[in-house]
């Protein structure tokens, strides 16, 4: 019996899906997108977008909806490949923006857990790869790790994670941290070389990963680093309470420490991140940015602890006793623990705008200091609609700075609107109500989203306590990433800054001792 030949690209383009069952229609679209990628066919990709629009009008299962998001992301990947010559360093890349949004929609969809494990690996790995491409390595590392929890031998996740880690290590100004991360990258690339879990056509990627591993071996004595790490023991606190807190920080990757992006490794259970040394005129005073960065860092670690205590609170605090509150019969959540969560949310969101203020000053952007927002600081103040990227960044090849720019796209802005995070509008609404209106936090066990939205007015926004905690954690992780990207972006700028011998000097700041913190 002769095996049936696969359909040609033209046949895939011409075939209609009218009357075809949902799953077969999606399978056809997936084949069309892959074939269009192989043949670099813009016509095939355009046809795929048309078919995706058609299939979305149907009643799809949750699993099929998640799959449709994945296929749409792949179609946007094809569109990006069509204009690859436009420059990988272009800061604004609408196809990448759309690809990230679709992949995030797939990951967060209720149908994600219902698709096959191999497809979950592909979705998470593709999302991680896009994050890494735009300079958001911190978010990429978490997605690669999630992919590897689905399949610890998934070759593309292992290899790309290893390459991404090595790229991250190149940006660090602490040689000890860089050596540890290079070694972790080597481990992942070694596992990728031995993996039997590669998709068809990934043989070139496997060879690339092996070459990258050899480059790390030329740069770092990975065997010596492994032996050194094996001998060292790292304390995570003096008391059981402190150890529990630090374990929570490690698990959620909240330490201001690049090593925490390797996961919950005890070596990362401290916050050593600072600004790198800055080049200043000889004899000049201490730059104010050192103190400002200190303050932002202190606000983050304090907000981190407030959220932890807020999430752990399960008993009535004495400060809440004898405080008379009316019973509104909708199971509200009032307590010091909830107020700690509210405070943590406020601090985390405000930190992002402070990062914007820092960027405006350091890069001399010229924005009015009274109207600086993290989401908009990157654009020309009077550039029309849409606002053009500020000329200071137009030709920059600072990877971490671009990562910071793309991180800002996770926030909602009424003028810019487009965001890479499906949850950005909810975060913005919560902040607005938290600061200016009425944010109503309800006990999670009694929260009914449909019932709580009945009669909703502009003054009130309802959220469950669990969901509010998760959203606050999301903001803290964003703020933490922003501070790391900011520090490393400045390190890159300082390395590239042209100097004048005898007129400039590097200014390094000593540590403030823990015993002085009262």
């Amino acid at each position: 019996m002769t095996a049936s030949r696969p359909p040609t690209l033209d046949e895939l383009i011409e075939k209609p899906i009218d009357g075809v069952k949902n799953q077969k229609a999606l399978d056809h679209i997936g084949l069309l997108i892959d074939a269009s990628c192989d043949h670099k066919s813009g016509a095939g990709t355009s046809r795929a977008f048309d078919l995706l629009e058609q299939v979305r009008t149907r009643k799809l299962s949750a699993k099929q909806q998640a799959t449709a998001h994945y296929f749409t992301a792949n179609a946007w990947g094809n569109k990006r490949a069509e204009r690859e010559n436009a420059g990988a360093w272009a800061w604004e890349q609408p196809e990448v923006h759309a690809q990230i949004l679709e992949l995030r929609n797939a990951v967060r969809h209720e149908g994600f857990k219902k698709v096959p494990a191999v497809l979950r690996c592909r979705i998470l790995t593709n999302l991680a790869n896009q994050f890494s491409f735009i300079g958001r390595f911190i978010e990429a590392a978490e997605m690669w790790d999630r992919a590897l929890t689905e399949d610890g031998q998934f070759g593309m996740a292992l290899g790309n994670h290893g390459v991404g880690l090595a790229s991250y290590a190149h940006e660090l100004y602490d040689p000890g941290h860089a050596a540890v991360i290079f070694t972790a990258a080597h481990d992942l690339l070694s596992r990728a070389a031995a993996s039997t879990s590669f998709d068809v056509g990934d043989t070139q990627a496997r060879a690339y990963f092996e070459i990258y591993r050899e480059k790390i071996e030329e740069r770092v004595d990975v065997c010596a680093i492994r032996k050194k790490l094996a001998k060292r023991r790292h304390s995570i606190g003096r008391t059981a309470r402190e150890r529990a807190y630090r374990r929570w920080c490690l698990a959620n990757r909240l330490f201001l420490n690049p090593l925490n992006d390797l996961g919950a490794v005890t070596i990362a259970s401290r916050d050593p991140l600072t600004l790198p040394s800055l080049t200043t005129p000889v004899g000049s005073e201490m730059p104010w940015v050192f103190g400002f960065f200190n303050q932002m860092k202190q606000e983050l670690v304090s907000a981190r602890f407030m959220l932890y205590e807020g999430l752990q609170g399960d008993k009535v605090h004495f400060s809440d006793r004898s405080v008379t509150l009316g019973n509104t019969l909708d199971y509200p959540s009032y307590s010091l623990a909830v107020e700690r969560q509210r405070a943590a949310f406020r601090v985390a969101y405000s930190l992002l705008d402070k990062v914007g203020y820092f960027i405006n000053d350091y890069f001399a952007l010229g924005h009015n200091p009274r109207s600086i927002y993290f989401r908009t600081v990157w654009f020309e103040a009077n550039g029309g609609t849409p606002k053009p990227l500020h000329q200071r960044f137009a030709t920059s090849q600072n990877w971490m700075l671009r990562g910071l720019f793309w991180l800002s796209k996770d926030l909602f802005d009424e003028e810019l609107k487009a965001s890479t995070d499906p949850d950005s509008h909810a975060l913005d609404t919560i902040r607005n109500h938290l600061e200016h209106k009425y944010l109503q936090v309800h006990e999670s066990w009694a929260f009914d989203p449909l019932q709580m939205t009945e009669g909703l007015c502009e003054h009130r926004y309802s959220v469950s306590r669990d969901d509010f905690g998760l959203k606050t954690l999301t903001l803290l992780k964003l703020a933490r990433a922003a501070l790391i990207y900011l520090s490393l972006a400045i390190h890159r700028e300082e390395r590239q800054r042209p100097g004048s011998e005898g007129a400039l000097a590097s200014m390094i700041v000593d540590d403030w001792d823990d015993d002085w913190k009262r």
Side-chain angles (χ1 to χ4, degrees), residues 257-421:
N257 187 337
L259 298 182
N260 202 182
D261 295 311
L262 300 178
V265 291
T266 56
I267 192 176
S269 60
R270 50 194 295 271
D271 299 288
L273 182 78
T274 61
L275 282 182
S277 61
L278 300 182
T279 303
T280 60
V282 173
S284 63
E285 296 181 358
M286 179 71 66
W288 69 274
V289 293
F290 281 115
F292 188 29
F293 193 86
N294 280 351
Q295 183 60 44
M296 289 192 291
K297 180 176 177 179
Q298 183 62 54
E299 288 178 15
L300 178 71
V301 299
S302 297
R304 184 177 71 192
F305 185 70
M306 285 190 286
L307 176 60
Y308 173 75
E309 288 210 314
L311 295 175
Q312 301 299 313
D314 58 357
K315 296 180 180 178
V316 177
H317 192 269
F318 66 81
S319 67
D320 290 322
R321 297 191 184 280
S322 302
V323 178
T324 303
L325 300 172
N327 187 353
T328 53
L329 305 178
D330 52 4
Y331 302 101
S333 189
Y334 293 115
S335 67
L336 177 62
V338 173
E339 292 309 308
R340 282 172 170 156
Q341 290 186 46
R342 288 172 179 262
F345 188 102
R346 286 189 177 101
V347 170
Y349 218 124
S350 70
L351 270 172
L352 295 171
D353 283 337
K354 289 179 180 179
V355 169
Y357 188 91
F358 192 110
I359 291 167
N360 182 61
D361 185 83
Y362 179 83
F363 290 98
L365 303 183
H367 292 304
N368 183 346
R370 294 180 178 273
S371 57
I372 293 174
Y373 301 99
F374 182 50
R375 182 69 174 89
T376 59
V377 71
W378 310 93
F379 303 97
E380 296 285 358
N382 301 307
T385 304
K387 289 184 176 181
L389 186 70
H390 197 287
Q391 61 178 355
R392 176 63 177 80
F393 307 123
T395 59
S396 173
Q397 294 191 8
N398 187 326
W399 188 51
M400 288 298 179
L401 186 62
R402 189 172 76 164
L404 196 56
F405 165 72
W406 276 87
L407 185 147
S408 75
K409 289 176 177 285
D410 274 11
L411 301 183
F412 176 81
D413 179 78
E414 188 63 40
E415 184 176 358
L416 298 174
K417 295 189 183 299
S419 170
T420 52
D421 188 347

Side-chain angles (χ1 to χ4, degrees), residues 179-201:
V180 172
I181 293 181
F182 272 125
T183 301
H186 185 272
D187 292 342
L188 286 162
L189 291 165
S190 297
R191 289 169 59 191
S195 173
T196 57
S197 182
F198 274 91
D199 287 334
V200 176

